[in-house]
Amino acid sequence: MSERGGRDYNEDACGHWHSERYLCCVLADGAGGHGGGDVASKLAVSHVLQGYAARPAHHPQLLEALLLDTNRELLAQRAANPQLRNMHSTVVVLSIDLQERHALWGHCGDSRFYAFRDGKMQQRTRDHSLVQSLMDAGLLDEAGARNHPKRSELYSALGTQGSDLQISVSQTPWPLAGREALMLCTDGLWEWVPDGEIATALATAPDPQAWLNDLGERVRLAAVDAPRHDNYTALALWLGAD
């Protein structure tokens, strides 16, 4: 699911690649003037998928290296085109070894990965953002974060130079041992749909597309008084127990 929301154009992008053994899902949310956000998100998705297809990055160091290389590509494109000098993008990547049945993920910015097992949330990435740091310090709860005036202020995104870049990668494989529902999404979705509502929608959904359709409807209802609300994009994957 990828919708424009209340914006003039969609700066989100997503995609996936798989072989017989490996699956890679990636999602990005771009920003930057003169169409730079649209370019940045598409560049991030295509570079991750091309790099993963050439060498499946199903190892923490390989996944981190792939994201660092994607950042270098974004910086190179910025340097080559003055109109794109302000472009940057969040990114979240999910890697699955279908043979060994375990998952790894990595991200930069505030696009998220969620993992539910038997309907209960087991994993969720932590944003590289101001409000996440306030929540970690106990100064803000989830409801307060959604209304914070600086909720969109990121500490890191692709297109960042040097030591200011923050990339987080899961360090141990997560076994896919039960009934898993996995989702990657941009902040245009989770900003309007709390984690509890994501789980509620999952509980009544017969399939992953129905889950996303429900979440999209929840975004539209919650944002009815915000006609300029952000693009929202999500990619969902369900795995059975057998």
Side-chain angles (χ1 to χ4, degrees):
M1 173 180 69
S2 190
E3 300 291 341
R4 191 176 65 182
R7 302 297 173 86
D8 295 330
Y9 51 92
N10 194 344
E11 293 186 314
D12 294 349
C14 64
H16 57 87
W17 172 91
H18 72 88
S19 64
E20 203 168 297
R21 177 168 180 176
Y22 294 105
L23 168 67
C24 176
C25 301
V26 57
L27 179 148
D29 178 0
H34 305 289
D38 179 51
V39 174
S41 61
K42 286 181 170 60
L43 178 62
V45 168
S46 64
H47 195 82
V48 166
L49 293 179
Q50 288 171 15
Y52 193 99
R55 185 188 186 190
H58 194 75
H59 184 280
Q61 290 180 338
L62 292 178
L63 190 53
E64 182 177 15
L66 178 57
L67 292 175
L68 288 170
D69 190 62
T70 304
N71 184 64
R72 284 190 290 270
E73 180 64 19
L74 230 69
L75 289 172
Q77 293 297 323
R78 281 172 38 149
N81 190 336
Q83 279 198 314
L84 301 177
R85 64 184 179 275
N86 294 319
M87 75 172 180
H88 56 271
S89 179
T90 69
V91 68
V92 56
V93 181
L94 168 66
S95 172
I96 295 179
D97 184 329
L98 299 166
Q99 180 176 304
E100 298 295 329
R101 292 186 64 85
H102 52 61
L104 291 170
W105 53 88
H107 80 290
C108 180
D110 63 356
S111 289
R112 291 181 177 176
F113 167 70
Y114 288 83
F116 294 83
R117 175 171 290 157
D118 297 325
K120 296 181 180 180
M121 191 171 75
Q122 302 291 319
Q123 303 282 344
R124 197 203 83 186
T125 51
R126 292 170 57 247
D127 309 327
H128 301 124
S129 67
L130 172 64
V131 294
Q132 183 68 66
S133 67
L134 293 174
M135 292 174 72
D136 292 345
L139 302 175
L140 202 62
D141 59 14
E142 185 180 0
R146 293 176 189 283
N147 299 307
H148 197 279
K150 293 187 177 181
R151 61 186 178 276
S152 297
E153 185 172 315
L154 299 182
Y155 283 158
S156 187
L158 297 183
T160 299
Q161 297 273 9
S163 60
D164 289 335
L165 179 69
Q166 296 180 40
I167 289 174
S168 298
V169 174
S170 55
Q171 293 302 303
T172 56
W174 191 60
L176 299 169
R179 292 171 54 250
E180 272 86 24
L182 313 177
M183 183 177 70
L184 290 69
C185 71
T186 60
D187 66 327
L189 188 148
W190 62 254
E191 180 181 353
W192 297 101
V193 187
D195 293 356
E197 285 193 33
I198 294 175
T200 298
L202 174 62
T204 59
D207 56 61
Q209 190 60 59
W211 187 27
L212 294 187
N213 291 345
D214 189 337
L215 294 176
E217 183 62 22
R218 289 170 189 265
V219 171
R220 290 186 286 274
L221 289 172
V224 68
D225 293 324
R228 297 288 296 167
H229 71 95
D230 201 1
N231 320 137
Y232 53 98
T233 297
L235 192 156
L237 173 69
W238 287 12
L239 295 97
D242 48 34

